[in-house]
Amino acid sequence: MPTALLIGASRGIGFELASQYIADGWRVIATARSDEGLERLKALGAQTLRVDVANPASNSGLAWQLDGEKIDLAIYVAGVVDRETTASPPTREKFDLLMHTNAMGPMMVLPQIAPMLAQSAGTFAVISSHFGSLTLTESSMAVLYRMSKAALNMYIRCAQHDFPEIGCVALHPGWVQTDMGGPQAPVKVQDSAANLRETLETVRTQRDPKHRGAFLNHDGSTLPW
């Protein structure tokens, strides 16, 4: 039975991915920061860990919680965007939440779990965004969001060099109907998760060099950096 680690899976795409992997017979280890999120994941049948990706002290404890595990696939799903905040400059709390969740979190997580992934020549994926650019500057937080995603995308390229024994990939899920994407988004969360899983299975099993360190759309097509 393959094992998937889903980091930040208590809602949205992460919760849907956990549901689909469990339905297909995978063993799923899933993290959440709240009691409510942990209970939702437990009800699915996931093994749960409490991790707050925005908190460096919490993030740094992931390795000991996973001690002895062999992981086939790890997906860092956690992300945050704040459309309501247009303050310039943002508060320190807003800055830390966005940057620690979107960019610093994966940078802290991967070195801890890379040895567990290496046992199965596994894959590390992050849910990113094609907004990893600085073209839109309507607010300070919009710029910071794009900075965080640009940093995340580039980290995946660096990570592939640092951890050549595993596959590293950034994935764009599309504009999805979640609490972040809103009800007007054109892609249903179930469809996005299914497409992401199909793309990840191709990356995980075919080990095509073009996928290593790549930025991929949810349909498997390669996106420009």
Side-chain angles (χ1 to χ4, degrees), residues 54 82 90-101 141:
D82 190 342
T91 65
R92 174 63 183 269
E93 290 75 17
K94 291 285 187 181
F95 180 89
D96 284 353
L97 175 65
L98 192 149
M99 297 303 290
H100 279 291
T101 302
M141 287 300 290

Side-chain angles (χ1 to χ4, degrees), residues 201-223:
E201 194 61 15
T202 299
V203 171
R204 197 173 70 87
T205 58
Q206 295 186 3
R207 308 190 194 283
D208 191 325
K210 72 180 180 182
H211 290 148
R212 298 182 71 82
F215 184 25
L216 302 175
N217 209 352
H218 58 90
D219 63 2
S221 59
T222 303
L223 288 168

Side-chain angles (χ1 to χ4, degrees), residues 29-204:
I29 306 170
T31 80
R33 64 165 60 99
S34 68
D35 290 337
E36 295 81 5
L38 292 169
E39 288 303 318
R40 289 188 73 208
L41 291 165
K42 286 178 183 177
L44 277 182
Q47 177 183 333
T48 58
L49 302 175
R50 185 185 297 275
V51 176
D52 182 353
V53 293
N55 184 327
S58 177
N59 247 341
S60 64
L62 181 61
W64 69 260
Q65 293 194 72
L66 290 167
D67 187 40
E69 291 286 357
K70 176 183 175 183
I71 300 170
D72 298 278
L73 173 65
I75 311 175
Y76 186 97
V77 195
V80 65
V81 61
D82 190 342
R83 298 184 193 81
E84 307 305 319
T85 301
T86 57
S88 184
T91 65
R92 174 63 183 269
E93 290 75 17
K94 291 285 187 181
F95 180 89
D96 284 353
L97 175 65
L98 192 149
M99 297 303 290
H100 279 291
T101 302
N102 288 6
M104 297 302 296
M107 294 179 190
M108 292 185 69
V109 162
L110 180 54
Q112 296 182 70
I113 63 174
M116 305 170 199
L117 286 163
Q119 294 181 59
S120 60
T123 299
F124 178 72
V126 296
I127 303 299
S128 187
S129 172
H130 71 315
F131 289 133
S133 70
L134 303 182
T135 55
L136 298 178
T137 58
E138 69 271 17
S139 73
S140 179
M141 287 300 290
V143 175
L144 284 175
Y145 176 75
R146 286 160 175 78
M147 286 173 62
S148 70
K149 290 301 185 180
L152 177 57
N153 293 343
M154 291 310 299
Y155 176 64
I156 289 300
R157 300 202 72 171
C158 295
Q160 190 61 79
H161 292 289
D162 292 342
F163 304 100
E165 67 277 12
I166 66 176
C168 297
V169 63
L171 297 171
H172 174 52
W175 184 14
V176 186
Q177 294 173 8
T178 62
D179 54 350
M180 287 177 62
Q184 74 276 22
V187 182
K188 293 181 179 180
V189 66
Q190 297 89 342
D191 295 339
S192 177
N195 288 340
L196 290 171
R197 289 184 59 220
E198 185 175 348
T199 297
L200 280 169
E201 194 61 15
T202 299
V203 171
R204 197 173 70 87

